Amino acid sequence: MKKLLLLLIFASFLSAAILQAQPLNLRCENLENPIGVDVSAPRFSWQLTGTGRNIQQTAYEITVQAGKQIVWNSGKVNSAQSVMLPYAGKPLQSATQYSWKVRVWTNKGEVSGWSKEAFFYMGFLQPSQWTAAWITPGFTEDSIMRPSPLFRKEFSTTKKIVSAHAFITAHGLYEASINGQRVGDAYLTPGWTSYNKRLQYQVYDVTHLLTKGNNAIGVTLGSGWYRGSIGFSRPNFNIYGKDIGLLFQLKIGYSDGSSQTILSDGTWKTATGAIRYSEIYNGETIDASKEQAGWLMPGFNDAQWTAAKTANFSKSHLIATRNEPVKKHETFAPVKIFTTPKGEQVIDFGQNLVGWVVLKTKAKAGDSIKLYHAEVLDKKGNFYIDNLRGAKCLNTYVFKGSNDAETFEPHFTWQGFRYVKVEGYKRALNAADFTAVALYSDMQKTGTFESSNALINQLQHNIEWGQKGNFLDVPTDCPQRDERLGWTGDAQVFSRTAAFNMNVHNFFVKWLQDVEADQVSGKVPYVIPNVLDTNGVNSTGWSDVATIIPWNMYLAYGDKQILENQFTSMKAYVESIRKSSKNDLWNTGFHFGDWLFYRPEDDNDGNAAVTDKYLIAQCFYAHSTQLLVNAANVLGKKEEAQVYTALLEKIKAAFLKEYVTANGRLVSSTQTAYTLALQFDMLPESLRQQAADRLVLNLSNYGYHLTTGFLGTPYLCHVLTRFGYTDHAYKLLLQESYPSWLYPVKNGATTIWERWDGQKPDGSFQTPGMNSFNHYAYGAIGDWMYRKMVGLDTYEDGPGYQHIKVQPHIGGGFTHASASLQTNYGKLSSGWKLEGNKLTMHVEIPANTTATVYVPAKTVESVTENGKPVNTHTDIKMQGLENGYVVLQVGSGMYVFETEK
């Protein structure tokens, strides 16, 4: 008996050891259980969990099944790779579900159990597999108001249903229902792409929506980006086409192994309903008296409806959705209801957000309520909408009259707002009747940041909400006025910050493909998708999105395929500059320059803030060429790497000749000029420190206020830290008066402003023609806060945080700062705290990674880990001393370092 007990204890111990490292959080194409994968070799990722330190994967085994049939078993593969492993089995079949699982071996001599099964469902791998027909309304449309058309189809099933998947896309936007229940929880589908070249479709598992017997499909369309008002020119309708159309294909699987397909065709019926008007900029009008009651259900009498028309629209450019769709997220109740000095009834939701307001209340038939939207109040406390320009941002609801409360909610529009003005409400406003709903792409929140300074914490809040409000399927510049376009300059300066706050991997993969699709002879338009003048291309800092974001995404996620996909685009862009350059100088064409920089008379004691636009162009020309060289090296393209390395030398030599004196002074003695020259290594080593000194002198002359615009701001604090001036970076960060990052915070901002002084100290506003209060570009300071202040970074030899750098920079009077990041390998975190002379660092490193940790200390002997001298730990390697840091090499695990400071 005793022997048996010992065996059981041993078995239990062995089982625990085996389960110590277990694969979790399985992803396919960086998505959890994706539906609608249209790549022939999807990639698999997982994370390891387990206690203890220095856990490394040494091998893995993946198995993929279709039902009970194994289509791929990798066998045991000796590799540490756990991110983006490509499928290598039998050819995958369209419209088929596959399950997969993985197990791993570790350096601890363990083998995990098999993970829980994950799945992926294939989309269409060939355009010919679309057998449905494009259909359009069968009636003559109102070409002015454009009420939303309704499409419906009834069908019957007689067998037991075991699976059903709907494939849907549209010219315009769509919402679909089956038997009165909404299909999916995505909004503004099929999303915005360069429609004539790339049109997304979505796939939904609708098994639970179907019933044996009669079923009804209902789809509502809106004009959206496809043919709605978008862009600057007037009239600005019908950018991609005048039509509105639906493509719908439903595959049903039965228990006897047979299947049935329901297709959009001429048998569908069409009409209009409650949505009488819907435009992105102007809002939506819903008249409940026009509602076609019961039209979403089987048995509805559609005899008066007209038959849909079939259309011969292309299907060759249809692609499955790779990025996360727009979904509903946070909701907000009113924090205040008040009457303005002008006598207007206004609701304050307390947060500048993007989405819409849901209204639920009673009223008489024919009564209407109008909701106007605004970001701010003027200095007298009145509702301010001048900065919306031509956008009406108005939702109108007309009641049918009912004993029960009626609920109104928009469908194909959205607003950027904090305040809502209500007209037509015939009694005192009731807070319970109004709910604000935030809409943004369904990206996982990955980063957190917190410090001892409340204003900086609010700045982080504003950075996050600027991203939420503007990452709405494309990275828009603003969400409120008559613009909301994918400006390339804004996106590139913020991309590294964005990748910390949220998982933007798929978001940018999708958008970058539209960047390439809309390039003109390699030249990159100002906005993507490009709905502006096709001649508006290649403005420096904007067009460099073609090289900067692919490289930033590679660093953040370690996905080599991003560089493979975009290399042609990157190369074409650099070549387009070379062709327009003279003597290796990019001194031609239009450039926005250091957009929206500080410019009170453009001078301050003789120190102009205006930076030569061609100097900026030359810096970014060099930077993009360097990134092309980097990508070529990663991809093993040795010849291209050599060619563009030689070009880079010429570009920098031309910069020195044209823009730098013999003593290292730049022709533009501005913060932006010195910042870019230093950030992009435009100066020889011998001239760099003096340039950094000149930069600091400039900062001092301006009283540590920013004079930089969109292009200089993101790099300024990074340059200061790099050249030993972190204390000056903190002075800038903590500046509270205009122009500074904290000036908007001190003035009640809940998002990042477009301008340093969107609302001036006297309460007046900047020019209303361009004055957004939700504009994320200046939020790029977050990148310095995360990577330098707290110190979470990644190395190029282990991108995607496979090789982690933890190097905090302490200062600014902060007593603590911490950050965490959900990487592809698991949670990474670091935080530092000062208590008297004692400095404590808490560090968490995920399994299957390594980290180089910099502890601020003068000697190794002064550092402890978990209360013991750090040099007595056998699982921590000493790397030496470097510029006031003790440098350590560690593996996964939790660490607590302490030292006297």
Side-chain angles (χ1 to χ4, degrees):
M1 186 68 182
K2 189 175 181 180
K3 186 175 182 180
L4 177 61
L5 183 60
L6 288 172
L7 285 172
L8 289 172
I9 293 173
F10 177 77
S12 176
F13 173 80
L14 183 61
S15 175
I18 290 173
L19 294 176
Q20 186 177 20
Q22 186 72 13
L24 296 174
N25 299 327
L26 275 62
R27 297 288 186 271
C28 175
E29 286 300 306
N30 200 36
L31 294 169
E32 182 179 2
N33 298 330
I35 300 177
V37 176
D38 68 349
V39 293
S40 58
R43 296 167 300 159
F44 305 117
S45 304
W46 59 88
Q47 296 173 2
L48 297 186
T49 184
T51 58
R53 292 183 173 178
N54 296 309
I55 297 174
Q56 290 283 334
Q57 175 184 297
T58 58
Y60 66 84
E61 181 179 8
I62 300 173
T63 183
V64 180
Q65 294 182 219
K68 296 182 179 179
Q69 180 188 4
I70 295 177
V71 295
W72 182 45
N73 181 273
S74 67
K76 182 180 180 182
V77 180
N78 293 321
S79 170
Q81 188 175 355
S82 59
V83 174
M84 301 294 178
L85 282 136
Y87 173 83
K90 297 177 181 178
L92 298 172
Q93 302 301 309
S94 296
T96 302
Q97 182 159 306
Y98 295 87
S99 63
W100 70 283
K101 57 187 178 181
V102 61
R103 62 175 176 169
V104 300
W105 287 257
T106 75
N107 59 337
K108 306 295 185 181
E110 304 163 355
V111 56
S112 75
W114 285 101
S115 67
K116 292 182 179 179
E117 283 192 345
F119 73 85
F120 59 97
Y121 185 87
M122 295 298 291
F124 291 142
L125 294 172
Q126 300 296 332
S128 60
Q129 291 165 329
W130 280 99
T131 54
W134 278 101
I135 56 175
T136 62
F139 53 86
T140 300
E141 285 195 271
D142 176 348
S143 61
I144 298 175
M145 297 302 290
R146 288 177 164 175
S148 288
L150 313 179
F151 294 75
R152 76 180 308 273
K153 170 72 175 179
E154 289 196 33
F155 64 96
S156 297
T157 61
T158 59
K159 301 176 183 179
K160 183 179 179 181
I161 299 169
V162 294
S163 66
H165 291 84
F167 297 68
I168 315 175
T169 191
H171 285 179
L173 303 177
Y174 73 84
E175 286 188 5
S177 295
I178 294 178
N179 296 328
Q181 298 182 69
R182 198 178 196 279
V183 173
D185 57 356
Y187 289 82
L188 306 178
T189 48
W192 191 12
T193 52
S194 300
Y195 288 130
N196 295 336
K197 303 161 189 172
R198 291 164 28 84
L199 175 59
Q200 295 181 136
Y201 63 88
Q202 285 76 41
V203 185
Y204 305 92
D205 185 343
V206 296
T207 310
H208 62 293
L209 300 183
L210 295 179
T211 62
K212 187 176 180 180
N214 294 330
N215 293 270
I217 303 167
V219 182
T220 307
L221 300 187
S223 295
W225 297 284
Y226 182 83
R227 70 170 191 179
S229 175
I230 198 78
F232 296 145
S233 60
R234 299 290 188 270
N236 54 349
F237 292 93
N238 307 326
I239 298 294
Y240 298 98
K242 294 181 180 180
D243 67 279
I244 196 166
L246 171 67
L247 187 65
F248 185 103
Q249 191 159 322
L250 173 63
K251 179 184 177 182
I252 306 172
Y254 296 111
S255 58
D256 64 1
S258 63
S259 64
Q260 180 182 4
T261 304
I262 307 299
L263 306 173
S264 52
D265 58 23
T267 66
W268 287 52
K269 292 293 193 72
T270 65
T272 60
I275 304 174
R276 308 313 298 169
Y277 175 87
S278 187
E279 289 288 342
I280 289 173
Y281 294 159
N282 294 333
E284 193 163 292
T285 299
I286 299 176
D287 185 345
S289 69
K290 304 291 186 182
E291 183 180 339
Q292 300 258 7
W295 78 277
L296 295 173
M297 301 301 293
F300 173 78
N301 184 359
D302 59 11
Q304 300 303 311
W305 289 35
T306 56
K309 296 177 182 178
T310 59
N312 190 29
F313 302 141
S314 175
K315 302 172 191 173
S316 62
H317 64 308
L318 297 179
I319 55 172
T321 302
R322 301 282 180 87
N323 60 312
E324 297 83 354
V326 172
K327 292 187 179 182
K328 291 181 178 179
H329 294 277
E330 297 89 344
T331 60
F332 296 83
V335 298
K336 183 181 179 183
I337 296 176
F338 61 97
T339 301
T340 69
K342 288 185 177 180
E344 300 163 325
Q345 294 293 300
V346 174
I347 301 172
D348 178 5
F349 286 99
Q351 171 63 51
N352 193 354
L353 67 122
V354 173
W356 54 55
V357 172
V358 178
L359 168 64
K360 185 176 182 180
T361 190
K362 293 181 181 180
K364 295 179 181 179
D367 283 356
S368 66
I369 292 179
K370 294 183 177 182
L371 303 182
Y372 297 85
H373 302 76
E375 295 184 285
V376 293
L377 304 175
D378 67 19
K379 62 182 178 180
K380 294 181 179 179
N382 288 311
F383 198 69
Y384 180 78
I385 59 172
D386 290 357
N387 69 320
L388 301 181
R389 300 194 305 214
K392 293 180 180 178
C393 298
L394 167 64
N395 292 333
T396 302
Y397 304 126
V398 181
F399 290 80
K400 62 184 176 183
S402 172
N403 291 329
D404 299 321
E406 298 178 49
T407 299
F408 294 95
E409 179 173 12
H411 301 264
F412 305 119
T413 187
W414 74 88
Q415 287 83 36
F417 65 98
R418 171 175 172 172
Y419 301 93
V420 170
K421 181 177 72 173
V422 184
E423 291 184 354
Y425 209 85
K426 297 187 177 180
R427 56 182 182 275
L429 296 183
N430 181 1
D433 294 345
F434 301 89
T435 302
V437 180
L439 288 178
Y440 50 88
S441 291
D442 193 32
M443 305 161 293
Q444 176 194 4
K445 178 178 171 61
T446 51
T448 67
F449 171 88
E450 192 272 335
S451 77
S452 57
N453 187 304
L455 292 177
I456 297 300
N457 294 340
Q458 182 64 42
L459 175 63
Q460 170 64 17
H461 171 95
N462 296 0
I463 292 169
E464 291 179 3
W465 275 94
Q467 181 171 352
K468 290 176 180 180
N470 285 289
F471 276 44
L472 195 121
D473 203 63
V474 303
T476 61
D477 62 321
C478 62
Q480 72 297 96
R481 65 187 181 219
D482 56 349
E483 191 167 346
R484 313 185 199 188
L485 304 177
W487 282 92
T488 50
D490 306 53
Q492 71 86 1
V493 301
F494 188 72
S495 58
R496 193 70 190 267
T497 303
F500 180 89
N501 292 327
M502 294 179 171
N503 186 341
V504 295
H505 176 275
N506 292 346
F507 180 89
F508 277 125
V509 164
K510 171 255 188 180
W511 189 67
L512 285 170
Q513 291 171 351
D514 286 302
V515 169
E516 181 172 21
D518 280 351
Q519 281 181 262
V520 181
S521 300
K523 298 177 182 178
V524 179
Y526 305 153
V527 300
I528 300 293
N530 186 18
V531 293
L532 302 182
D533 186 349
T534 54
N535 294 321
V537 293
N538 269 25
S539 174
T540 191
W542 273 250
S543 48
D544 298 272
V545 70
T547 56
I548 291 174
I549 292 187
W551 184 251
N552 280 349
M553 294 306 102
Y554 169 70
L555 292 179
Y557 300 108
D559 182 6
K560 186 176 174 180
Q561 191 176 95
I562 291 176
L563 298 181
E564 293 171 346
N565 291 344
Q566 299 301 134
F567 189 79
T568 300
S569 167
M570 297 170 74
K571 181 177 177 180
Y573 168 59
V574 170
E575 282 298 323
S576 74
I577 304 174
R578 175 148 68 168
K579 290 175 183 176
S580 61
S581 297
K582 299 176 181 178
N583 299 319
D584 299 307
L585 281 173
W586 190 14
N587 55 4
T588 59
F590 168 81
H591 299 282
F592 291 106
D594 195 28
W595 189 247
L596 297 184
F597 66 94
Y598 165 78
R599 55 181 308 166
E601 307 304 326
D602 295 333
D603 199 10
N604 183 63
D605 296 330
N607 294 302
V610 180
T611 309
D612 187 294
K613 292 181 179 180
Y614 290 137
L615 180 153
I616 295 173
Q618 193 71 2
C619 289
F620 275 94
Y621 181 18
H623 184 46
S624 280
T625 304
Q626 179 66 71
L627 296 182
L628 183 60
V629 170
N630 294 353
N633 285 327
V634 170
L635 299 175
K637 298 178 180 291
K638 295 182 180 179
E639 185 175 339
E640 280 103 331
Q642 292 173 354
V643 167
Y644 291 103
T645 297
L647 174 62
L648 181 60
E649 292 176 358
K650 294 179 181 178
I651 294 168
K652 291 185 176 181
F655 177 86
L656 285 173
K657 183 178 179 181
E658 185 76 6
Y659 301 111
V660 186
T661 69
N663 291 327
R665 182 181 294 275
L666 300 181
V667 296
S668 293
S669 188
T670 66
Q671 292 174 19
T672 289
Y674 283 105
T675 293
L676 295 180
L678 290 167
Q679 176 70 20
F680 300 150
D681 294 335
M682 303 302 292
L683 303 173
E685 288 278 3
S686 59
L687 294 180
R688 291 178 186 176
Q689 190 59 53
Q690 63 83 29
D693 296 342
R694 294 179 194 271
L695 171 60
V696 171
L697 178 61
N698 183 293
L699 294 173
S700 177
N701 289 339
Y702 277 96
Y704 291 94
H705 289 92
L706 297 157
T707 66
T708 50
F710 276 26
L711 299 185
T713 302
Y715 304 111
L716 177 54
C717 285
H718 284 282
V719 166
L720 292 172
T721 293
R722 176 183 170 185
F723 288 94
Y725 288 114
T726 293
D727 54 338
H728 295 266
Y730 271 111
K731 286 183 180 180
L732 280 174
L733 178 67
L734 295 173
Q735 177 63 257
E736 296 182 10
S737 58
Y738 161 79
S740 68
W741 285 290
L742 292 185
Y743 171 74
V745 173
K746 292 280 287 186
N747 281 272
T750 61
T751 45
I752 299 297
W753 293 356
E754 179 176 20
R755 294 177 176 271
W756 293 122
D757 60 342
Q759 191 161 19
K760 298 180 180 181
D762 65 1
S764 64
F765 294 104
Q766 258 286 2
T767 171
M770 192 171 61
N771 193 23
S772 162
F773 291 92
N774 191 352
H775 214 96
Y776 56 77
Y778 285 135
I781 183 58
D783 184 50
W784 183 84
M785 290 157 56
Y786 318 142
R787 291 205 288 144
K788 300 303 179 184
M789 183 177 176
V790 176
L792 293 183
D793 207 348
T794 186
Y795 286 99
E796 292 184 16
D797 66 354
Y801 300 91
Q802 186 179 37
H803 182 192
I804 297 159
K805 182 179 185 180
V806 180
Q807 185 178 12
H809 292 79
I810 297 166
F814 287 80
T815 57
H816 73 264
S818 62
S820 68
L821 178 64
Q822 292 292 339
T823 74
N824 281 334
Y825 297 94
K827 183 181 178 183
L828 163 66
S829 68
S830 181
W832 53 263
K833 185 175 184 179
L834 284 171
E835 294 178 297
N837 289 327
K838 186 175 76 172
L839 169 67
T840 304
M841 280 179 62
H842 289 264
V843 178
E844 180 179 2
I845 305 299
N848 210 28
T849 68
T850 60
T852 303
V853 179
Y854 291 72
V855 180
K858 295 182 178 179
T859 65
V860 173
E861 292 74 18
S862 66
V863 179
T864 64
E865 195 286 309
N866 244 342
K868 299 179 181 180
V870 70
N871 54 10
T872 66
H873 287 264
T874 58
D875 53 4
I876 299 175
K877 297 180 180 178
M878 302 297 115
Q879 298 289 305
L881 298 173
E882 184 180 319
N883 298 325
Y885 291 94
V886 172
V887 186
L888 311 170
Q889 192 73 25
V890 304
S892 64
M894 309 280 288
Y895 300 86
V896 180
F897 300 103
E898 290 184 344
T899 186
E900 296 294 321
K901 181 171 174 59

